């Protein structure tokens, strides 16, 4: 695996490659990330990964400085997965001047759910993804369904900008007890780690109630939030949305076959976890 630090070196390394598959990451890689690399290999060649902790998507009170950085271990894992190039720029390389031009998702999609509780987050995400796409120029890029809203926003951005890149959705990878794998799981204490799978169990209970069609969506959401609070969580949201656009379902959606998804974000101790489940 070749590790490149500059945009110029990256473009030189990929010159003439027309089927590049790309997986952008912030490092601290786990089994979920590695599954993205394997999926990328099925959709293109060569596979390029990036590691860049993007300051633009962190709020003023979020964990940019303390975000886990495990570069040497990450390189070892990526090399074993057959990744061809790792692009690992520093901030001065990717942002040599203040990034005054930014990409703003439409408010209806970018300012709800995660966007409501993390203002500016998706502006930071879409800006760095567009810049990384410009550097790598991939034919395909892989994003995980765990970050469901992010996946949708990136996919819509590519469509509206006519970017020649197919966005591949990867299923969420979970531990044996159901907890979605995440770099931030490492912040959990042992008791919190044992409690953490309750978030996914709550989503499954929501799904069962929606399919039973005997309660309003609002009542189901309220019950789920109350159950989490009772267990010591601090939920930001538990919300049933349309898969197509993440808008609130119509009032008669419970009687239709409209594809839905339930998304949740909640704090357990000092750690904020997100998850979702398609219905």
């Amino acid at each position: 695996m070749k590790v490149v630090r500059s945009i110029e070196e990256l473009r030189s390394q990929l010159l003439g490659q027309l089927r590049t598959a790309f997986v952008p990451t912030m490092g601290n890689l786990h089994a979920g990330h590695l599954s993205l690399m394997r999926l990328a290999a099925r959709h293109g060649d060569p596979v390029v990964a990036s590691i860049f902790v993007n300051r633009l998507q962190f709020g003023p009170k979020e964990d940019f400085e303390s975000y886990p950085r495990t570069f040497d271990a990450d390189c070892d894992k990526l090399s074993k997965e057959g990744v061809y190039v790792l692009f690992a720029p520093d901030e001065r390389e990717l942002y040599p001047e203040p990034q005054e031009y930014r990409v703003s998702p439409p408010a209806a999609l970018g300012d709800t759910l995660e966007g409501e509780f993390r203002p500016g987050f998706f502006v930071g995400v879409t800006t760095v993804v567009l810049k990384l796409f410009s550097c790598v120029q991939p034919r395909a890029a892989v994003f995980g369904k765990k970050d469901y809203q992010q996946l949708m926003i990136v996919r819509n951005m590519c469509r509206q900008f006519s970017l020649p890149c197919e966005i591949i959705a990867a299923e969420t990878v979970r531990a044996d007890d159901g907890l979605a794998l995440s770099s931030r799981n490492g912040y959990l204490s042992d008791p919190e780690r044992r409690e953490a799978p309750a978030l996914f169990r709550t989503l499954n209970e929501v799904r069962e109630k929606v399919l039973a069609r005997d309660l309003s969506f609002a009542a189901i959401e309220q019950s789920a939030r109350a159950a989490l609070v009772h267990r010591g969580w601090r939920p930001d949201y538990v919300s049933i949305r349309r898969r197509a656009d993440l808008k609130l379902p119509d009032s008669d959606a419970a009687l239709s076959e409209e594809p839905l998804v339930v998304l949740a974000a909640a704090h357990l101790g000092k750690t904020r976890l997100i998850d979702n489940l398609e219905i």
Side-chain angles (χ1 to χ4, degrees):
M1 183 180 74
K2 298 176 176 64
V3 179
V4 299
R5 301 283 188 174
S6 73
I7 297 171
E8 181 180 4
E9 184 183 3
L10 174 72
R11 288 176 172 165
S12 175
Q13 192 66 50
L14 296 177
L15 186 66
Q17 299 286 359
L18 302 178
R19 298 185 62 252
T20 300
F22 179 45
V23 184
T25 83
M26 293 205 300
N28 192 30
L29 305 182
H30 50 67
H33 292 110
L34 302 183
S35 73
L36 304 185
M37 307 300 161
R38 292 190 287 273
L39 182 58
R42 297 202 294 270
H43 288 272
D45 179 44
V47 174
V48 176
S50 66
I51 292 177
F52 181 71
V53 184
N54 178 39
R55 189 185 298 269
L56 294 186
Q57 68 193 67
F58 286 78
K61 296 181 180 180
E62 295 184 336
D63 57 344
F64 175 77
E65 296 297 340
S66 62
Y67 191 85
R69 292 162 171 83
T70 55
F71 187 75
D72 290 341
D74 293 344
C75 286
D76 184 57
K77 292 174 182 176
L78 293 174
S79 180
K80 290 177 180 177
E81 290 296 333
V83 170
Y84 176 61
V85 170
L86 170 61
F87 181 43
D90 62 20
E91 281 193 292
R92 288 170 296 181
E93 178 65 22
L94 208 57
Y95 300 130
E97 57 185 272
Q99 189 66 37
E100 296 170 336
Y101 286 84
R102 302 196 182 191
V103 181
S104 296
L109 183 57
D111 292 347
T112 187
L113 300 169
E114 285 298 283
E116 177 182 352
F117 289 91
R118 302 181 68 186
F121 170 68
F122 287 120
V123 172
V125 168
T126 50
T127 299
V128 76
V129 168
L130 184 61
K131 195 156 194 176
L132 288 169
F133 281 4
S134 176
C135 297
V136 178
Q137 299 184 12
R139 189 203 69 81
V142 179
F143 289 80
K145 280 188 177 183
K146 176 181 169 292
D147 298 290
Y148 205 92
Q149 188 175 9
Q150 173 181 278
L151 168 66
M152 179 168 292
I153 286 174
V154 170
R155 179 172 278 162
N156 289 355
M157 178 187 75
C158 285
R159 186 185 69 251
Q160 290 205 1
F161 280 114
S162 300
L163 301 182
C165 178
E166 179 185 4
I167 303 301
I168 309 298
E171 297 296 331
T172 301
V173 178
R174 300 184 180 277
D176 290 342
D177 57 10
L179 177 65
L181 299 190
S182 169
S183 296
R184 289 189 168 91
N185 291 351
Y187 296 153
L188 297 168
S189 67
D190 288 344
E192 288 167 350
R193 175 59 187 84
R194 290 192 291 271
E195 168 61 23
L199 183 61
F200 185 53
R201 291 199 299 270
T202 299
L203 295 181
N204 276 279
E205 290 166 3
V206 169
R207 181 179 185 275
E208 291 172 4
K209 290 177 181 178
V210 169
L211 294 176
R213 306 183 189 280
D214 57 0
L215 290 172
S216 70
F217 289 168
I220 295 171
E221 293 167 347
Q222 182 179 6
S223 175
R225 290 192 297 269
L228 288 170
V229 170
H230 181 72
R231 298 184 66 96
W233 295 68
R234 302 188 311 281
D236 283 343
Y237 59 83
V238 177
S239 187
I240 301 162
R241 299 293 178 111
R242 303 191 318 195
R243 285 191 220 173
D245 51 18
L246 293 189
K247 292 183 179 179
L248 293 169
D250 296 332
S251 58
D252 60 351
L255 302 177
S256 74
E257 298 301 322
E258 184 173 41
L260 303 173
V261 59
V262 54
L263 307 101
H267 299 260
L268 182 59
K270 296 181 179 179
T271 306
R272 185 176 185 271
L273 300 178
I274 66 170
D275 205 348
N276 65 80
L277 183 63
E278 292 179 334
I279 300 173

